Amino acid sequence: MLKNTLFFKTTKFENIRSYANRINDEFESGDIGYYHLIDTSLKLIDESKEFIKDKEYIKNIILVGMGGSSCGVKALKDLLFNQSTSLKNLYIIDNTSSSILMEILECIDIKESLFLITSKTGNTIEVISIFKIIIGYFNLKLNELQDYFIFITDKDSNLHKQAKDLNIKTFFIPNNVGGRFSILSAVGIVPFCFCGYDAKDLLNGARACFEDFFIHKKDEILQKAYHYCTHKNANINVLFSYNDIFRGFNEWYIQLIAESLGKKQGYKRIGLTPIALIGARDQHSFLQLIMDGPKNKTITFLKIKNLKNSPIIPDINFKFLDSSSNNIKLQELLNAQCDATMHALISENLSVDLIEIEYLDPWHIGYLMYYYELFTSACGIMLGINTYDQPGVEVGKLILKNILNSR
Amino acid sequence: MLKNTLFFKTTKFENIRSYANRINDEFESGDIGYYHLIDTSLKLIDESKEFIKDKEYIKNIILVGMGGSSCGVKALKDLLFNQSTSLKNLYIIDNTSSSILMEILECIDIKESLFLITSKTGNTIEVISIFKIIIGYFNLKLNELQDYFIFITDKDSNLHKQAKDLNIKTFFIPNNVGGRFSILSAVGIVPFCFCGYDAKDLLNGARACFEDFFIHKKDEILQKAYHYCTHKNANINVLFSYNDIFRGFNEWYIQLIAESLGKKQGYKRIGLTPIALIGARDQHSFLQLIMDGPKNKTITFLKIKNLKNSPIIPDINFKFLDSSSNNIKLQELLNAQCDATMHALISENLSVDLIEIEYLDPWHIGYLMYYYELFTSACGIMLGINTYDQPGVEVGKLILKNILNSR
């Protein structure tokens, strides 16, 4: 179960009915592919398992990808990969800064490694550059690349064309699935399966969210989107996630919201600004600003109700030190801190909601990620923008080409 | 050399003269201790070296601290600790979420470990709780705690009183140095020295920044603060740091700005909202929103000019893949991406500035951190608030006490 409690005033359903219809139209049109990945990705699970099953010698899976090609997988890794023991290590290379890249290359044995080169467009300069550095570092010949690399990209992209030239196995992202909505496509499913996890549970969780929204007509997502899009003073949206393991998820959330909802529309500039925090840590950092600073923020609290393996704080009493947390689980202290902070913000009349995850498992994370994708689509419709493009990043790419070509 | 270039319109000096005088008064009053750490921390370096010099058996330094007690050390660790080889590993525990804590405890040998329990007030519930979990995990007797723990706290705090009871070595944070301004006090100096690094260079860099500001009267900091505090539409301040190793520094920046500058003042709520990004990665995440979304952001770009050990992108030409980055260092590509993105934002008439660090070493990082502390003080003076308190976080602490006591 995933429970979402809204602590702000909701609106009458008639005010959001038209938006509900439009998101339904968007789903039924088939133009936006991510809605349908809960079905279309099923056979991908079999394809991934089939590919990896006789490759027990592979100990390291190294994903190379930027933005939508890595954020979601990072989220899955941080949340789920420590829980049980995978037979393979997953490394993620998502930047052109060199220290992490070189550390990874130095610690792996190429004979036990498989690189997933992921780029939807097939043209991402960071990914292509790192691909070449890997080839150079291990002194690989072009005719042996097929042993160490697979590509994940759109059909007929330049990366796909190159794959055919080099005889490299390629998994495809559907053309109508945007990068930041691609976690349930090959981008996420392939590494998840390669590392031995059950991607069916992930899809089942997402399907449950789909059904709650489209079939059972639960309206929290639409209500929250409506509040965010009409509460003009509060256009900064804080996600306060209580546990370090939400770090990757926070990055994914920021990419999803910022790139989807920051858009020009004629002469107007529209956008919600996402901020993601980790509790309890950032109570000692950002909380002061939320409590006493301008009321330009909404806040979503995110917590896990039941977490395995949390240690108990021992019943040791020191003369001068606080004993109020003695004898409880550390996770209980963390969740009590979440509740306390939430109620402090509610008492300041800030817009707050709470997402509670019953257990930490692929089903719940599939639900959570689909929840945020639907939420983003709903906001996009309410703001009247194109949620699925990213025209603003092209100028910088052109300037970069000029800089590099003028060398 | 650290160079700060402002790409927005600056003001005449007469408009900022009064603020310059007031920050000078604040410095000369002696009330705000961080200004003076460049002098007062000198003898702490000797004290730290003296304490650790005959303890070669210690392989692991584990810092336990929240907010100001850990953010700055994390920044130093990420930026400087990978550069050369330290004789000791530094671990940082900065949250009540259990996974990282338990991983660290499982991988260390207690006989080779020293825990730094850091809390300015001496009452931080997270730190006290983790202190007890460590004692319980290793089954330590109270009379042997002095072998494995040192405390870093204010004189006469509860933690100091407890230290006297347990005979535990304590390093002091000056009473008039706030947590988020404490990186050059025992909070940062002690772990830095324990791990074998030269804290004198750190202080020398900070002193150079002090002299540029107070003696050579360089005015970039005041100009930038003035622009931020008067540019009311743009109250979100983005720091775009180009390299993964700025991750900890970004966290430190967020804490410094958010907790210092988000304050109530009578019925008014005042504050700048910090956001920190990592380039090139977040060009694929947040950049779209900055380019096309509301013009409510200023952007500081931060880059390292000369970085050692950056690999060269090999000159491999594939039929279908981009070759424009062939034959250059990865760091050159990263810096070209920084320049390209910066010029794209300038072309949208956004407020941009650039900080260039010549080399990555303690001197430059000392300069950079002191730069941001002075900048924060200048903003506080211009906004007319108390930069150094954090009254807004107390309500949540009271609610937490009630929750815990009602169990």
Side-chain angles (χ1 to χ4, degrees):
Chain A
M1 259 282 293
L2 183 140
K3 192 174 160 199
N4 187 199
T5 312
L6 311 178
F7 293 96
F8 48 80
K9 201 170 172 305
T10 55
T11 190
K12 287 182 196 152
F13 189 73
E14 60 205 57
N15 291 332
I16 49 175
R17 190 190 312 268
S18 65
Y19 300 120
N21 291 339
R22 282 173 55 196
I23 197 168
N24 210 51
D25 293 348
E26 198 171 273
F27 155 65
E28 285 180 352
S29 73
D31 294 340
I32 305 302
Y34 90 84
Y35 291 112
H36 306 277
L37 291 172
I38 48 177
D39 296 316
T40 54
S41 281
L42 281 170
K43 66 170 190 292
L44 189 64
I45 297 177
D46 299 330
E47 193 189 343
S48 304
K49 285 185 181 169
E50 182 63 29
F51 179 86
I52 205 73
K53 76 168 183 215
D54 56 351
K55 299 189 176 61
E56 276 142 26
Y57 61 90
I58 294 175
K59 299 275 181 289
N60 309 304
I61 305 288
I62 305 105
L63 170 68
V64 180
M66 304 294 290
S69 299
S70 53
C71 282
V73 183
K74 244 170 151 174
L76 295 181
K77 182 184 174 188
D78 288 357
L79 283 164
L80 300 172
F81 278 41
N82 292 332
Q83 290 297 93
S84 53
T85 28
S86 165
L87 296 173
K88 303 188 199 298
N89 305 310
L90 176 67
Y91 300 93
I92 297 172
I93 298 172
D94 66 344
N95 205 357
T96 33
S97 77
S98 52
S99 53
I100 292 174
L101 168 64
M102 297 318 284
E103 264 173 44
I104 293 173
L105 299 187
E106 277 159 27
C107 84
I108 59 167
D109 177 349
I110 181 74
K111 296 282 176 207
E112 298 179 345
S113 301
L114 181 66
F115 291 89
L116 316 189
I117 302 295
T118 305
S119 165
K120 182 171 168 59
T121 63
N123 299 324
T124 314
I125 189 165
E126 295 92 337
V127 173
I128 306 299
S129 302
I130 293 167
F131 174 49
K132 292 177 187 172
I133 286 178
I134 297 166
I135 296 171
Y137 184 87
F138 291 109
N139 247 318
L140 301 174
K141 298 193 193 81
L142 294 192
N143 64 8
E144 58 178 350
L145 297 186
Q146 56 183 301
D147 298 337
Y148 305 111
F149 292 91
I150 68 159
F151 290 170
I152 300 176
T153 186
D154 273 15
K155 209 163 238 170
D156 300 327
S157 76
N158 280 328
L159 205 54
H160 179 207
K161 290 176 192 159
Q162 195 62 55
K164 284 193 270 189
D165 232 36
L166 296 166
N167 204 21
I168 287 176
K169 165 76 181 170
T170 305
F171 289 89
F172 296 111
I173 307 164
N175 286 314
N176 62 356
V177 173
R180 55 192 176 275
F181 289 87
S182 68
I183 182 60
L184 298 178
S185 77
V187 168
I189 298 292
V190 169
F192 202 67
C193 290
F194 279 10
C195 291
Y197 294 93
D198 198 344
K200 275 213 179 85
D201 291 340
L202 209 59
L203 293 182
N204 283 339
R207 183 184 306 281
C209 182
F210 170 88
E211 288 175 357
D212 279 346
F213 185 83
F214 284 109
I215 297 172
H216 310 310
K217 310 284 183 195
K218 287 183 71 174
D219 72 344
E220 288 93 346
I221 289 176
L222 287 170
Q223 288 285 358
K224 185 164 146 181
Y226 187 77
H227 185 75
Y228 277 32
C229 295
T230 55
H231 191 345
K232 301 281 182 204
N233 294 332
N235 61 4
I236 300 175
N237 309 107
V238 177
L239 176 64
F240 215 145
S241 309
Y242 273 70
N243 202 313
D244 285 325
I245 56 178
F246 282 112
R247 191 185 265 275
F249 183 81
N250 278 4
E251 278 181 25
W252 178 82
Y253 158 84
I254 286 175
Q255 199 226 2
L256 184 64
I257 301 290
E259 207 164 63
S260 298
L261 302 179
K263 298 286 158 72
K264 281 182 186 162
Q265 192 195 47
Y267 68 92
K268 280 203 285 189
R269 289 164 161 272
I270 290 172
L272 299 176
T273 295
I275 285 183
L277 307 175
I278 295 287
R281 199 191 68 197
D282 291 336
Q283 292 181 195
H284 298 262
S285 161
F286 204 89
L287 179 59
Q288 167 67 34
L289 175 66
I290 306 177
M291 278 296 285
D292 286 357
K295 280 193 169 178
N296 55 3
K297 300 176 183 72
T298 64
I299 307 96
T300 298
F301 286 86
L302 174 57
K303 74 174 183 189
I304 303 161
K305 285 183 77 173
N306 302 293
L307 192 71
K308 287 182 206 158
N309 303 328
S310 183
I312 290 172
I313 300 163
D315 196 16
I316 306 173
N317 290 289
F318 289 107
K319 193 167 161 193
F320 297 101
L321 304 182
D322 193 339
S323 295
S324 60
S325 65
N326 284 15
N327 246 331
I328 61 171
K329 282 188 180 175
L330 198 58
Q331 178 70 11
E332 286 176 71
L333 172 61
L334 187 69
N335 282 344
Q337 291 182 286
C338 176
D339 295 343
T341 304
M342 190 176 77
H343 287 293
L345 296 187
I346 291 172
S347 74
E348 288 285 327
N349 283 318
L350 290 156
S351 293
V352 167
D353 74 298
L354 169 67
I355 298 175
E356 293 169 279
I357 297 172
E358 192 75 26
Y359 298 102
L360 188 63
D361 59 25
W363 189 95
H364 283 87
I365 300 309
Y367 192 114
L368 179 66
M369 295 182 97
Y370 205 80
Y371 167 103
Y372 265 106
E373 291 179 336
L374 288 179
F375 171 75
T376 305
S377 289
C379 286
I381 284 171
M382 291 177 190
L383 293 170
I385 56 172
N386 181 351
T387 309
Y388 307 104
D389 65 354
Q390 53 280 337
V393 300
E394 297 307 318
V395 187
K397 288 185 190 169
L398 284 176
I399 299 177
L400 179 65
K401 276 262 182 281
N402 285 335
I403 295 176
L404 293 177
N405 290 335
S406 67
R407 282 183 300 135
Chain B
M1 260 282 294
L2 183 139
K3 192 175 162 200
N4 186 198
T5 313
L6 311 178
F7 293 97
F8 48 80
K9 200 168 173 303
T10 55
T11 190
K12 286 182 196 153
F13 188 72
E14 61 206 56
N15 291 331
I16 49 175
R17 189 190 314 266
S18 64
Y19 300 120
N21 291 339
R22 281 172 56 197
I23 197 167
N24 210 52
D25 292 348
E26 199 172 271
F27 156 64
E28 286 180 352
S29 74
D31 294 341
I32 305 302
Y34 90 84
Y35 291 113
H36 306 278
L37 292 172
I38 48 177
D39 296 316
T40 54
S41 282
L42 281 170
K43 66 173 189 290
L44 189 64
I45 297 177
D46 299 329
E47 193 188 346
S48 304
K49 285 184 181 168
E50 183 63 28
F51 179 86
I52 205 72
K53 77 167 184 221
D54 57 353
K55 300 191 176 60
E56 275 143 24
Y57 60 91
I58 294 175
K59 300 274 182 288
N60 309 304
I61 305 288
I62 305 105
L63 169 69
V64 180
M66 304 293 292
S69 299
S70 54
C71 282
V73 184
K74 243 170 152 175
L76 295 182
K77 182 184 175 188
D78 287 357
L79 283 164
L80 300 171
F81 278 40
N82 293 332
Q83 290 296 94
S84 53
T85 28
S86 166
L87 297 173
K88 304 190 198 297
N89 306 310
L90 177 68
Y91 300 94
I92 297 172
I93 298 173
D94 67 345
N95 204 358
T96 33
S97 77
S98 52
S99 53
I100 292 174
L101 168 63
M102 297 318 283
E103 264 173 45
I104 293 173
L105 298 187
E106 277 158 27
C107 84
I108 59 166
D109 178 349
I110 181 73
K111 296 281 175 208
E112 299 179 345
S113 300
L114 180 67
F115 291 88
L116 315 189
I117 303 295
T118 306
S119 164
K120 182 170 168 59
T121 64
N123 299 324
T124 314
I125 189 165
E126 295 92 335
V127 172
I128 307 299
S129 303
I130 292 167
F131 175 49
K132 292 179 187 172
I133 287 178
I134 297 165
I135 296 171
Y137 183 88
F138 291 108
N139 247 318
L140 301 174
K141 299 192 193 80
L142 294 192
N143 63 9
E144 58 177 352
L145 297 186
Q146 56 183 302
D147 297 336
Y148 305 112
F149 292 91
I150 69 160
F151 290 170
I152 300 175
T153 185
D154 273 14
K155 210 163 236 169
D156 299 328
S157 75
N158 281 328
L159 205 54
H160 180 208
K161 290 176 192 161
Q162 195 61 55
K164 284 193 270 191
D165 233 35
L166 296 166
N167 204 20
I168 286 177
K169 164 76 181 169
T170 306
F171 289 89
F172 297 111
I173 307 164
N175 285 314
N176 62 357
V177 173
R180 56 190 175 275
F181 289 87
S182 68
I183 182 61
L184 298 178
S185 77
V187 169
I189 299 292
V190 170
F192 201 68
C193 290
F194 280 10
C195 291
Y197 294 94
D198 198 345
K200 275 212 180 85
D201 292 340
L202 210 57
L203 292 182
N204 283 338
R207 181 183 308 280
C209 181
F210 170 89
E211 289 175 357
D212 279 346
F213 185 83
F214 284 109
I215 297 172
H216 310 309
K217 309 285 183 193
K218 287 182 70 173
D219 72 343
E220 288 93 345
I221 289 177
L222 287 170
Q223 289 285 358
K224 186 163 145 180
Y226 187 77
H227 184 75
Y228 277 31
C229 295
T230 54
H231 190 345
K232 300 281 182 203
N233 295 333
N235 61 3
I236 300 176
N237 309 108
V238 177
L239 175 65
F240 215 144
S241 310
Y242 273 70
N243 203 313
D244 286 325
I245 57 178
F246 282 112
R247 190 185 267 275
F249 182 81
N250 278 4
E251 277 181 27
W252 177 82
Y253 158 83
I254 286 175
Q255 200 226 2
L256 184 65
I257 302 290
E259 207 164 61
S260 298
L261 302 179
K263 297 287 158 70
K264 280 180 186 163
Q265 192 195 49
Y267 68 92
K268 280 203 285 188
R269 291 165 160 270
I270 290 172
L272 299 175
T273 295
I275 285 183
L277 307 175
I278 295 287
R281 199 191 68 198
D282 291 336
Q283 292 181 195
H284 298 262
S285 162
F286 204 90
L287 179 59
Q288 166 67 34
L289 175 66
I290 305 177
M291 279 295 286
D292 286 356
K295 279 193 170 179
N296 55 2
K297 299 175 183 74
T298 64
I299 307 96
T300 298
F301 286 86
L302 175 57
K303 73 175 184 189
I304 303 161
K305 284 183 77 172
N306 302 295
L307 193 70
K308 285 181 206 158
N309 304 328
S310 183
I312 290 172
I313 301 164
D315 196 17
I316 307 173
N317 289 289
F318 289 107
K319 192 166 162 195
F320 297 102
L321 303 183
D322 192 340
S323 295
S324 60
S325 65
N326 284 15
N327 247 330
I328 61 171
K329 282 187 181 177
L330 198 58
Q331 179 68 11
E332 286 176 72
L333 172 61
L334 187 69
N335 281 343
Q337 291 182 286
C338 176
D339 294 342
T341 304
M342 189 176 78
H343 286 293
L345 296 188
I346 291 172
S347 73
E348 288 285 324
N349 282 317
L350 289 155
S351 293
V352 168
D353 74 298
L354 169 67
I355 298 175
E356 294 169 279
I357 296 173
E358 193 76 25
Y359 298 101
L360 187 63
D361 59 26
W363 189 94
H364 283 86
I365 300 308
Y367 193 113
L368 179 67
M369 296 182 98
Y370 205 80
Y371 167 102
Y372 264 106
E373 291 179 336
L374 288 179
F375 171 74
T376 306
S377 290
C379 286
I381 284 171
M382 292 176 189
L383 293 170
I385 54 171
N386 181 350
T387 310
Y388 308 104
D389 66 353
Q390 53 281 338
V393 301
E394 297 307 318
V395 187
K397 288 184 190 170
L398 284 176
I399 300 177
L400 178 65
K401 275 264 183 279
N402 285 336
I403 294 177
L404 294 177
N405 289 335
S406 67
R407 283 183 299 136

